[in-house]
Structures are given as structure tokens and as C-alpha cells.
Amino acid sequence: MTTATTRATTAQGAVGTAHTRVEGRDKVTGAARYAGDIPFAELAHGWLVLSSVARGRVRSLETAPVLAMPGVLAVLHHENAPRVDSDHIGLLGVPPEPTSVVFQHDRVPHMGWPVALVVAETSEQAREAAEALVVHYESEPHDVAFSGGHPDVYALDGHMPAVTKKGDLEAELAASAVVVDEEYTTPEEHHSPMEPHAAAARWDGGRLEVVDSNQGSTWVADGLAKLFSLDPESVRVRSEHVGGGFGSKGVRAHQVAAVMAATVLQRPVRVVLTRRQMFALAGYRSPTAQRIRLGADADGRLRALDHSSVNLTSTVHEFVEPSAGVARVMYDADAHHTANRVVRLDVPTPTWMRAPGEAPGSFALEAALDELAEKCGIDPIELRARNEPERGPVSGRAFSSRNLLACFRAGARRFGWADRDPRPGLRREGRWLLGTGTAAASFPAGAGPSTAVVTAEADGTFTVRIAAADLGTGARTALTLVAADALEVATDRVRVRIGDSDFGPAMIAGGSMGTRSWAWAITAAAGELRERLSPGSTVPPEGITVRSDTTAAIGALAQKERHSFGAQFAEVAVDVATGEVRVRRMLGVFAAGRIVNPLTARSQFVGGMIWGISMALHEEAVRDRASGGHVGADLAGYHVATHADVQRIEADWIDDPDPDDPVGIKGIGEIGIVGAAAAIANAVWHATGVRHRSLPIRPDRVLPAGTGALRA
């Protein structure tokens, strides 16, 4: 059961009122079509063949028998595939991930590396032929064993500096009355969106058209244009409906392979990844090993904070999971050190996954804060209040707003925190031990340059065109409300068109920046259009159109610490006989800017919190060291939270508009998962008296070794 309570917004209008999804009818009736649904004349189907060794090279492929199979049109591989240009910088300022640059050489850097694409008249024929293709390899020794103590660990800058330091850490730790020094680990985790990755490519009059499932059409169009050395104007990418992404749906192998095949065959080709293939080709959240050292005075004031995180990356691409970054925002100390490090292994490259860095980083940091509170004999919320910084602990910048303590106060009242006995292992109902825990949450509030086109139509309606992406979060609806307010008209006079790179550059749906970035562009275009529409003026048949570009406005923003914040609360029950952990109730209270649509915002918050349950108790991809591949690379072997795992979840928020944003938006996509796993882990300690510093908290980890049951 999930419930939510909303707060009144400070302004009247469409923004801030609950509104059902504008595309809701299409989705429930099946009229909404996804990338794998849209038909094309003479459509062929491609099926990727992935390597069965973890390191080595392809010696040869037996293609002749496969080409003779029914319906088979082509087999593309490193000896005959079109050449592409991988030496460029992508739209997000990073080079293309090499796994997407398929069939350019014979090297195999990890299990599941694409070695061929079989194209046939039907999907069934392509799959049968792909499974029949014999590939000969020259195998080499591989290393997939991750640990924080790996000898080849090194510091790596990502979108933030790898290392920050101030103060004498060892001296402050030595002078501290209370010290916490522990390691926390999180496993490899996967996005698992409902809709698998899919793309269809075709050439139409010298122009490349791709129908795709992605998080930003201009992102994918830019990547494909650069890879295939095409004029950007000759590439169009459409992505009308997307069934989840969570960071995984950017430029990937299946789109590039589809374009290659369409180019060779001169007919449309669709490539869809299977669930198993997605475990190798769609990115994932790297496992982490995080060491937290906290030193505090007897009253809980931090003197030393050291957060060091290690994650893995592939041998062909560097990706950092910046888990230590969360400490740079949350708490200050006289000595404050953080570091993000990586180790190269023979594995696929990780990628962004919902709340990258913050989700695993908050588990370690907020669990360590709970341990410090216990050692100091201070309430966990009070400990956080005593360490509330006035400015960014590392940057020294002012916060645009920081209402974390207001979230804790509101949440504590709602959750009944004051009635909690802080001593662990005391509450029991039959075979269940009960406990409660809390944790803080934060996530950056950013914005990316975007363009938008708004047209006043002759019939009195307005059409908004923007290359936004709706991953199922309700972006279309939110942008409809924003546009209606900016135009000062009713929502039924506004039509929002999204998901088409022809609409012009726009920020991707990621980093909790999508709605804020798009709303800014729409507001700017709508404001200029209103100025051009004098009262009583007549709109010509072709309409009146205005285009906006927010690059300059966003570039002129003052440098501040801009973040959403939140407080997570959880109550768990632990079975003393089986070690099973059940989350009985959760409450999240957030300060996340102005809430555009309470109805869909609730889904975002609650969905993130449910993912926190999944992260805390279930999700764990296991890699076999002998083969280098996954054990159970499917949704039978990779467990996620289901209906039976989700009981009472409440999401609430406080008024927290960003004064520097035209609409007051901060962003809500990721904040719901941050801190959720830590709150659950802290609640498990409160129930049992045992700390769990490694996720997931499986029953075999809850039960003490050799006892078969918890002491009760």
C-alpha cells in the first residue's frame, strides 16, 4: 500500500495541481507505441551475437552455414562491417563507450562483447541463426574479482574531482573522543527497465531515421552523426514513448548495429536486446567498497570525515561511480577528505544508474552516521542537526536553499520518532524483531541548456515542441502544466510534442535535470510569444512561432550549492528463525523544489523508495570468476522488490521553490532512492543489534554463522 500527502504550492495555476497523464488513455488502451512496436515496410531484424569468453580475440567466424539458413540476409562482424569514427567527444562531454562502437576490431575485452550481428527477415530467423553462428576465440586469462584492496586501484576524476582534502585528518581522528572506522560494500546492480532497449534504423532520401528507446533524442542523434561522419541535419532520432531508462538508455551497441545493417542492406533494420543481453550491453551500477572514518567530540560534533570509495571499470573505458561525492555536500568537519577511485577489470563498462554516486554513497555515509550516533549516545536526527553545515563543506559556496532539518522535523512527527526506544533488539511481535531507522538524502539540482519551440495556432491552441524524453515519469504532463501557466491559458489548449531530435537540442532525461531544463526553455519561449500576441490580435493560418535557447541564461547562473534534500524513515521486521527482513512502512519527506504535478511526483518519490527496498534487501548481480560472466543474468536470478515486498510507503514534501529557477523546480527523479537503503539498514540494526555493512541484507547474512537463528 502506498499513500501520499501533498502540500499546497505558493502560486496558483496549473503548476502544483494534480493532473492525470495526458497520454494516460493511450498507454492503458495500447495506442502508445514503443520503439519495438512501430512497423516499417520491408523491415529486417538483427540479432546480436555476444562473446563467450571474457578476454582474448576472435580468430574466425563460420558465417557460410549461417548465411545459408532460411531468411538470413547478412552477418556483420569486424571483417566486413562499416567503419566508424570513435575518436570524438559526445554530447555530454565524454568519448563514446567502446562497446557501442561495434565490429571495428577482433579484440574481446569482456564476456558479452558484441562480435557479430545476424540479420534476417524475421526475428525468429535472426535468433536461430545467431545461436547457430560458430565463433572461434583465442582466449586469454582474465580478472573480474573486485575488491577495495585491489593493487591496481587509482584515483579518477569524473564530473567532479577525484580527491578533495582539507585539514589534518590523522591529527583530528587522534584527538576525537569517538571514532567510527568501517568499510561498507554495495554489489553490482542493474537498471532492468520494463521496456528492453530497441532501435530501428532506415535511410529515407539520404537521411538517416532512427526510432529508438532513449533518454534524449538529440543525444543519440549527435552520437550517431559523429560515429558515421554524417551531417547532423541528416540524422533524425525519434523516441515517443519509453518504458523506463534509469540512466541506461543512451548511445548503445544495438543502435549502431542497426544503422550499420540498414546501411549495408538499404532497408530498415530493427535490433532489440534481450533481457540477458542487457546485463552485458546496457551498463550497470558498479559494485563499491567504501571506507568511512568519522571522528567526533563527545557531543557528536565532527572533527574528522574521511569517505573513500572504490568502484570497478572496464579495460576499454573509464567510468567512476562518485560515491564519495555525497559527503562533500552533507556534513562538514575540521578535517574533511574524500576520494573516488577505480580499478580496471575484464568486465563491461558501468554507467549512470538512478542517483549515481549518491545511492551507494549515502548507504555508507548515513549508516556510519547512525553508528556514530549510537557510540555518542545521541539521537540520530539530533546528531545530524549538530553537524548541519552553513555552506558547502568542500566548495565553500552558499546553498541555494537547504531544508534538510525541516524534512527531519516533519518526518519525525509523522513517523512517531519521539516514541522510539533507541536501544536495539527490544521490540518483538511473535517471531519478528522490530526496529526503526532514519537517514538523510540529497541530490544535485542542475539544469542543462535546451531549446524549445512554441507555436500559437490559428484555432486558439498552442503547440510546444521540445526534444524531451518521457521515461514513464509524466514529463509530458508536467510540461503541459508549465506551458499552460507560462502562456496563461487552460491546459486543454496546450499540446506538447516530445522525443524528436528535429525539435532542436535539449537536455537528456537524467540527473534529475530533465523537467527543470525543459520547463526553463518552454517558459522562455512562451514568455516571448505572449509579448508578440497583443490583445485581440489575429493569428495567421501558419501560426506564430517562437524558439528559445537557454544556454546563456543557464551559463549566467550564480555559483551555489544547489540540491534537493530529504529525510527517510523505515520500520522493519526481522524473522528470528529465517533471517527474512520485511519493510513494514517507510516515510520520505523531501525538499525538492516546486512540485509541478503532485500526482506524478508522488510516483517518482515512492518509486525511488521502493527501489531503496530493492537495493537494501534484494538486488545483487553475481559474476562468476571462472567464466567472467554473470550467474543468473535475468529477472529470475537477479532479484528485485515485488508487490509482496512493498507494504506501507508514504511520500510527502515541504514547500521549497528554487529562487533562481523560472518555475522554482529543483528535480525529483533520484532523491527518492538516496538514503533509503541506509534507513532500512539502520532499522535492521535497531531490530537485531547487529550492523550490516554489506548490501543486500540477505537472510543468510542476518543469521549468525552456524546458529541457524537469531538470538532473541
Side-chain angles (χ1 to χ4, degrees):
M1 179 180 71
T2 61
T3 60
T5 302
T6 62
R7 292 285 176 259
T9 56
T10 55
Q12 300 299 312
V15 171
T17 61
H19 200 294
T20 56
R21 295 172 186 262
V22 295
E23 83 285 10
R25 180 180 292 275
D26 287 347
K27 285 190 171 179
V28 299
T29 60
R33 297 190 302 182
Y34 293 79
D37 301 331
I38 299 174
F40 293 95
E42 299 184 328
L43 178 67
H45 299 265
W47 201 278
L48 284 165
V49 179
L50 308 187
S51 70
S52 57
V53 300
R55 183 179 178 88
R57 57 179 290 270
V58 177
R59 288 197 289 109
S60 63
L61 302 92
E62 297 183 15
T63 59
V66 170
L67 288 167
M69 294 178 70
V72 174
L73 301 169
V75 179
L76 299 183
H77 50 87
H78 69 276
E79 293 179 345
N80 65 0
R83 301 296 95 181
V84 297
D85 178 14
S86 61
D87 188 20
H88 66 266
I89 299 300
L91 190 66
L92 299 180
V94 295
E97 203 280 296
T99 307
S100 66
V101 188
V102 292
F103 317 140
Q104 301 300 293
H105 53 77
D106 64 358
R107 294 297 306 169
V108 175
H110 62 74
M111 174 79 79
W113 178 266
V115 296
L117 178 77
V118 177
V119 188
E121 296 287 355
T122 70
S123 178
E124 293 79 7
Q125 290 170 333
R127 179 171 191 165
E128 182 181 10
E131 292 174 348
L133 179 65
V134 175
V135 182
H136 299 281
Y137 300 95
E138 182 180 301
S139 184
E140 300 172 2
H142 63 265
D143 180 9
V144 300
F146 171 74
S147 74
H150 197 287
D152 297 328
V153 166
Y154 63 97
L156 177 65
D157 293 337
H159 62 269
M160 63 178 66
V163 177
T164 64
K165 292 183 178 181
K166 74 174 183 181
D168 188 330
L169 183 67
E170 299 304 329
E172 293 296 341
L173 285 169
S176 296
V178 182
V179 173
V180 171
D181 184 350
E182 300 291 350
E183 182 175 90
Y184 303 82
T185 66
T186 61
E188 180 179 320
E189 300 166 354
H190 286 258
H191 304 75
S192 303
M194 291 180 65
E195 179 201 17
H197 296 55
R202 69 170 179 171
W203 289 94
D204 184 10
R207 195 172 194 226
L208 174 63
E209 181 177 352
V210 177
V211 176
D212 186 30
S213 176
N214 64 52
Q215 294 182 225
S217 295
T218 53
W219 181 19
V220 176
D222 175 81
L224 294 176
K226 289 175 177 174
L227 281 169
F228 289 92
S229 301
L230 300 172
D231 180 347
E233 295 299 318
S234 68
V235 181
R236 183 188 188 190
V237 175
R238 292 185 292 128
S239 184
E240 186 175 356
H241 294 285
V242 182
F246 313 117
S248 70
K249 288 186 174 175
V251 181
R252 295 278 171 200
H254 64 291
Q255 299 133 323
V256 179
V259 174
M260 285 181 172
T263 301
V264 170
L265 296 173
Q266 287 299 297
R267 61 185 287 186
V269 176
R270 175 179 290 142
V271 179
V272 180
L273 298 186
T274 67
R275 184 67 62 181
R276 181 172 290 272
Q277 288 175 337
M278 286 166 56
F279 276 77
L281 297 180
Y284 56 97
R285 197 194 306 279
S286 167
T288 69
Q290 303 176 60
R291 185 185 182 189
I292 304 285
R293 292 192 290 172
L294 303 176
D297 292 334
D299 64 358
R301 189 187 71 83
L302 285 171
R303 299 178 65 107
L305 187 158
D306 181 28
H307 189 167
S308 178
S309 177
V310 178
N311 70 268
L312 60 73
T313 190
S314 70
T315 60
V316 294
H317 193 70
E318 291 183 320
F319 181 87
V320 61
E321 179 80 18
S323 301
V326 67
R328 301 176 187 181
V329 175
M330 292 305 297
Y331 309 107
D332 203 355
D334 299 323
H336 195 289
H337 291 199
T338 63
N340 292 307
R341 299 182 174 90
V342 301
V343 58
R344 288 177 176 268
L345 298 174
D346 301 311
V347 296
T349 307
T351 193
W352 301 291
M353 184 166 163
R354 196 174 191 179
E358 276 78 8
S362 66
F363 162 66
L365 182 63
E366 294 298 312
L369 260 290
D370 202 70
E371 297 200 43
L372 181 64
E374 177 199 358
K375 286 191 171 187
C376 291
I378 300 173
D379 179 81
I381 297 177
E382 176 60 26
L383 178 75
R384 288 166 173 82
R386 293 181 187 183
N387 287 285
E388 182 71 354
E390 295 183 1
R391 306 181 73 84
V394 172
S395 70
R397 296 171 182 164
F399 288 97
S400 61
S401 63
R402 184 179 170 111
N403 289 311
L404 175 62
L405 294 185
C407 293
F408 270 117
R409 286 192 293 268
R413 287 194 300 270
R414 289 271 298 276
F415 196 74
W417 188 261
D419 299 329
R420 176 185 190 259
D421 188 326
R423 295 173 296 172
L426 296 181
R427 291 178 60 203
R428 182 164 180 164
E429 289 182 2
R431 72 178 195 271
W432 299 96
L433 291 172
L434 307 182
T436 53
T438 190
S442 73
F443 197 80
S450 297
T451 61
V453 178
V454 181
T455 300
E457 309 288 359
D459 63 1
T461 63
F462 297 85
T463 303
V464 176
R465 294 176 177 85
I466 186 167
D470 192 334
L471 309 188
T473 58
R476 273 185 191 79
T477 309
L479 297 182
T480 299
L481 304 185
V482 169
D485 278 6
L487 292 165
E488 297 185 352
V489 299
T491 56
D492 60 6
R493 291 176 61 188
V494 176
R495 294 186 299 272
V496 174
R497 301 287 182 259
I498 66 172
D500 190 333
S501 63
D502 275 1
F503 295 161
M507 180 61 191
I508 66 168
S512 295
M513 293 189 285
T515 300
R516 176 174 179 169
S517 303
W518 306 325
W520 197 322
I522 290 171
T523 300
E528 183 179 340
L529 181 60
R530 281 181 52 225
E531 292 178 0
R532 293 177 56 179
L533 292 173
S534 57
S537 62
T538 300
V539 177
E542 68 274 16
I544 299 175
T545 297
V546 169
R547 175 182 291 273
S548 67
D549 185 338
T550 61
T551 302
I554 289 174
L557 274 174
Q559 295 297 306
K560 296 180 181 179
E561 288 283 358
R562 304 177 190 278
H563 302 268
S564 295
F565 292 96
Q568 301 270 19
F569 295 83
E571 180 180 54
V572 304
V574 183
D575 191 315
V576 297
T578 67
E580 176 187 4
V581 178
R582 288 282 180 178
V583 178
R584 288 194 167 185
R585 61 186 177 114
M586 287 189 75
L587 168 66
V589 179
F590 304 97
R594 191 176 180 200
I595 301 303
V596 177
N597 184 0
L599 195 62
T600 52
R602 166 196 172 275
S603 296
Q604 283 280 69
F605 290 133
V606 168
M609 294 166 69
I610 291 172
W611 202 337
I613 295 175
S614 203
M615 179 181 179
L617 304 180
H618 303 287
E619 295 194 43
E620 180 181 26
V622 178
R623 195 169 290 277
D624 176 35
R625 294 189 180 187
S627 70
H630 284 112
V631 177
D634 50 45
L635 292 183
Y638 180 80
H639 294 173
V640 298
T642 63
H643 289 301
D645 301 300
V646 181
Q647 299 188 35
R648 182 183 178 188
I649 298 186
E650 298 178 85
D652 203 351
W653 48 85
I654 64 176
D655 224 21
D656 179 48
D658 188 329
D660 296 323
D661 183 85
V663 186
I665 297 169
K666 282 188 175 180
I668 63 174
E670 271 110 338
I671 188 71
I673 190 176
V674 182
I680 293 167
N682 295 339
V684 172
W685 166 80
H686 188 233
T688 65
V690 179
R691 292 284 179 187
H692 292 276
R693 303 183 182 97
S694 293
L695 297 183
I697 305 174
R698 303 188 311 251
D700 64 298
R701 289 174 171 168
V702 172
L703 295 177
T707 66
L710 279 168
R711 295 185 180 88

